[in-house]
Amino acid sequence: MEKEQSGSRGPHDERVMAGIPNRPADDGGEPAALVDVVLPCLNERSALPEVLGALPPGYRAIVVDNGSTDGSGALAASLGATVVDEPRRGFGAAAHAGLLAATAEFVAFCDCDGSLDPAQLAPMLELVRTGRADLVLGARRPARGAWPIHARLANMALSLRLRRLTGIPVTDLGPLRIARRSTLLGLDLKDRRSGYPLEMFLKAHRDGWRVAEVPVAYAPRLGKSKVTGTFRGTVTALRDMGTQLATASLHTPGTAREGQAVRPPADAHGAKP
């Protein structure tokens, strides 16, 4: 089991930034992206063409190769993605390397396994862009067979605890999410394993962010799951999240401030919760 890493920007993170490929110029070349989509990737070759092909115009893929052995990084580069190598294993390590590589005003995070359609980020972006929310989470609506029962139950229990801890009516701490790059960097995220998404949510609450949920379709993943698709992976993720919850319980008020939690109207995303 990999050792949890400390997270303020250290020498390794500086090396990641230094190794970022040149980005398209704003003047005369390819238009600058409005959204950089961070895609942590570990052996996702079978899903990459579908995921990258689903990105809307103005969205740029940053595929963070987290030690793939199936040629995922090379394939992603051939398909036009910006590829960043992150040898330290762990979801948080890959996600944060992607955040450091991003240059767009808005940064989104999405799984790279084909379970989530990145086109669903469009209504989520609108909530952040128009100032109606600071962090928007995709609340998964799973198709049959997409979500193992042990992972779904664990997510329900976590969401209940988060509602009690923060007062934010969250129903799913899903991997599809979007916020402004500058504010994400300001959170000073430290977890480099499975607790990264939870740390982002808890620190957003700490800083008074408005958090919204938008329902998103969730399909069966392509290929083998590394985390919630296995019982061991789920237990490891829960252990990492427990560390974040224990820390937050010592420093977070029991309820959110008035107006902090927001829910978009049903027509904002084309479907009712």
Side-chain angles (χ1 to χ4, degrees):
M1 184 179 297
E2 63 270 33
K3 183 178 179 182
E4 187 170 354
Q5 303 290 326
S6 122
S8 42
R9 186 179 297 174
H12 178 86
D13 290 334
E14 296 293 351
R15 289 196 298 272
V16 169
M17 295 186 72
I20 297 169
N22 293 329
R23 310 307 294 265
D26 291 345
D27 50 346
E30 179 183 342
L34 176 64
V35 181
D36 278 330
V37 183
V38 176
L39 296 154
C41 177
L42 177 59
N43 294 329
E44 303 291 3
R45 185 180 179 89
S46 61
L48 275 168
E50 178 179 321
V51 173
L52 297 180
L55 286 171
Y59 290 62
R60 179 168 46 208
I62 298 179
V63 174
V64 185
D65 192 344
N66 201 206
S68 298
T69 57
D70 66 348
S72 289
L75 176 61
S78 73
L79 294 172
T82 294
V83 177
V84 174
D85 290 323
E86 175 48 79
R88 290 180 299 176
R89 285 292 181 90
F91 177 84
H96 201 69
L99 175 58
L100 294 178
T103 59
E105 180 179 0
F106 303 95
V107 175
F109 297 86
C110 181
D111 280 351
C112 198
D113 57 12
S115 62
L116 290 161
D117 182 353
Q120 297 181 107
L121 286 165
M124 298 169 65
L125 167 66
E126 189 65 11
L127 291 174
V128 180
R129 189 186 65 80
T130 58
R132 286 181 282 169
D134 302 302
L135 173 65
V136 181
L137 308 175
R140 290 167 288 185
R141 301 294 186 261
R144 182 182 297 275
W147 211 348
I149 186 63
H150 63 270
R152 187 181 301 196
L153 292 174
N155 185 70
M156 290 173 60
L158 175 62
S159 297
L160 175 61
R161 186 167 179 184
L162 291 177
R163 291 195 296 272
R164 290 173 174 171
L165 179 65
T166 67
I168 298 175
V170 62
T171 63
D172 179 21
L173 195 71
L176 193 67
R177 52 186 58 201
I178 189 168
R180 292 183 185 273
R181 173 181 173 273
S182 59
T183 53
L184 284 168
L185 289 170
L187 292 178
D188 189 27
L189 299 172
K190 298 182 180 300
D191 193 285
R192 293 296 180 266
R193 297 199 334 185
S194 301
Y196 190 86
L198 177 57
E199 183 188 12
M200 183 186 298
F201 174 86
L202 291 171
K203 287 189 172 179
H205 166 65
R206 176 202 66 187
D207 290 354
W209 289 23
R210 295 158 299 169
V211 180
E213 273 192 348
V214 170
V216 296
Y218 188 56
R221 62 160 290 136
L222 301 175
K224 183 180 179 181
S225 176
K226 291 84 176 173
V227 184
T228 55
T230 67
F231 181 77
R232 180 179 179 182
T234 299
V235 171
T236 300
L238 289 174
R239 184 182 301 118
D240 291 343
M241 292 180 183
T243 301
Q244 295 296 330
L245 285 168
T247 301
S249 297
L250 296 175
H251 301 100
T252 305
T255 58
R257 290 189 291 276
E258 183 178 356
Q260 179 181 6
V262 296
R263 282 183 176 275
D267 59 0
H269 43 65
K272 294 183 179 179

